[in-house]
């Protein structure tokens, strides 16, 4: 019995070290998740995102922004970060007709003349009255009574909109988002626990006409 007891201290040492390694690894993951995450506040991205959702961001992928990516950025002269969906890329032409519910977003991708309609199912459930036609030269909504007009997204800029079409302050209010205003791409939802995973993305371009 004495011999067995004396032969086990090494095992307790190994288990103790393993437990510490696991503990610190978990802590590093938690710290990294908090450092590279953002918490949603507001309803502008409903129903895709809700207040209180915590999102994992990719700050190293902001130079690889694609159409329909969700990004964290600032708008206009505001320093407050917002989360919006990219609709227009550099060189695209954008026009918004407000004669339907929800409004119709037309896109002519850069380098071509083909016209597409943005099919984003979330826009049909819009909440709010931000439904004016678009766009002025800076990408903002047109004054009441003005007919929709095409605008070209400048080089190094994006045209962004919230998934809650009628209740979002976005490019229609503050204009185009510049490259240097993009902080990160949103790649994953961390909270709530029941919705952990990649963000749903059902938006797409479908052939359309003016």
């Amino acid at each position: 019995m004495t011999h067995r007891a004396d032969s086990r201290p090494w095992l307790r040492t190994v288990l103790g070290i393993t437990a510490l390694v696991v503990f610190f690894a978990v802590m590093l993951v938690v710290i990294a998740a908090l450092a590279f995450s953002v918490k949603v506040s507001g309803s502008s991205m409903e129903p895709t995102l809700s207040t209180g959702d915590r999102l994992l961001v990719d700050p190293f992928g902001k130079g690889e922004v694609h159409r329909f990516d969700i990004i964290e950025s600032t708008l206009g002269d505001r320093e407050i970060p917002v989360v919006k969906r990219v609709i227009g890329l550099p060189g695209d032409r954008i026009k918004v007709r407000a004669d339907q519910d929800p409004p119709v977003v037309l896109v002519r991708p850069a380098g071509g003349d083909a016209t597409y309609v943005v099919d984003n199912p979330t826009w049909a459930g819009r909440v709010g009255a931000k439904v004016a036609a678009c766009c002025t030269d800076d990408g903002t909504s047109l004054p009441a009574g003005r007919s929709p007009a095409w605008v070209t997204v400048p080089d190094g800029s994006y045209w962004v909109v919230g998934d809650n079409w009628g209740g979002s302050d976005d490019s229609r209010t503050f204009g185009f988002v510049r490259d240097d205003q993009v902080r990160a791409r949103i790649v994953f939802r961390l909270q709530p626990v029941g919705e952990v995973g990649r963000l749903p993305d059902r938006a797409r371009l479908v052939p359309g006409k003016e």
Side-chain angles (χ1 to χ4, degrees):
M1 295 293 293
T2 303
H3 176 70
R4 288 182 181 177
D6 292 341
S7 65
R8 299 182 68 84
W10 67 269
L11 182 58
R12 289 197 296 272
T13 301
V14 170
L15 290 175
I17 293 173
T18 301
L20 283 173
V21 170
V22 170
F23 172 77
F24 284 115
V26 170
M27 290 302 296
L28 284 173
V29 170
V30 171
I31 292 171
L34 291 174
F36 293 99
S37 69
V38 61
K39 197 169 186 178
V40 176
S41 176
S43 60
S44 70
M45 282 297 291
E46 290 182 350
T48 306
L49 303 172
S50 301
T51 294
D53 286 3
R54 184 166 289 280
L55 312 173
L56 183 65
V57 303
D58 176 13
F60 305 108
K62 63 181 183 179
E64 302 176 1
V65 175
H66 304 287
R67 194 186 316 279
F68 303 133
D69 279 353
I70 296 176
I71 61 171
E72 180 190 26
S73 70
T74 56
L75 288 169
D77 296 327
R78 305 192 317 174
E79 292 300 322
I80 302 172
V82 297
V83 175
K84 306 293 178 184
R85 189 180 296 279
V86 174
I87 302 299
L89 300 174
D92 286 355
R93 284 175 286 170
I94 305 288
K95 180 162 71 169
V96 180
R97 295 202 320 256
D99 55 348
Q100 291 182 221
D101 185 7
V104 177
V105 180
L106 303 170
V107 177
R108 288 179 177 167
D113 292 321
T115 301
Y116 296 87
V117 174
V118 177
D119 178 16
N120 186 351
T122 67
W123 290 347
R126 65 173 179 80
V127 178
K130 299 180 187 298
V131 293
C134 196
C135 301
T136 62
D137 289 343
D138 62 0
T140 57
S141 293
L142 291 162
R146 288 274 303 275
S147 299
W150 289 100
V151 64
T152 300
V153 182
D155 290 342
S157 297
Y158 305 97
W159 194 75
V160 302
V161 177
D163 279 359
N164 177 9
W165 177 274
S168 172
D169 288 321
D170 41 49
S171 284
R172 295 170 297 155
T173 303
F174 296 100
F176 300 110
V177 172
R178 303 186 310 272
D179 270 336
D180 60 1
Q181 292 177 299
V182 178
R183 296 189 173 192
R185 293 170 59 237
I186 307 295
V187 296
F188 202 81
R189 183 173 7 227
L190 297 172
Q191 292 178 329
V193 175
E195 297 184 35
V196 171
R198 294 192 67 85
L199 298 177
D201 181 7
R202 294 180 293 163
R204 61 196 181 109
L205 290 183
V206 297
K209 59 182 180 179
E210 188 173 352

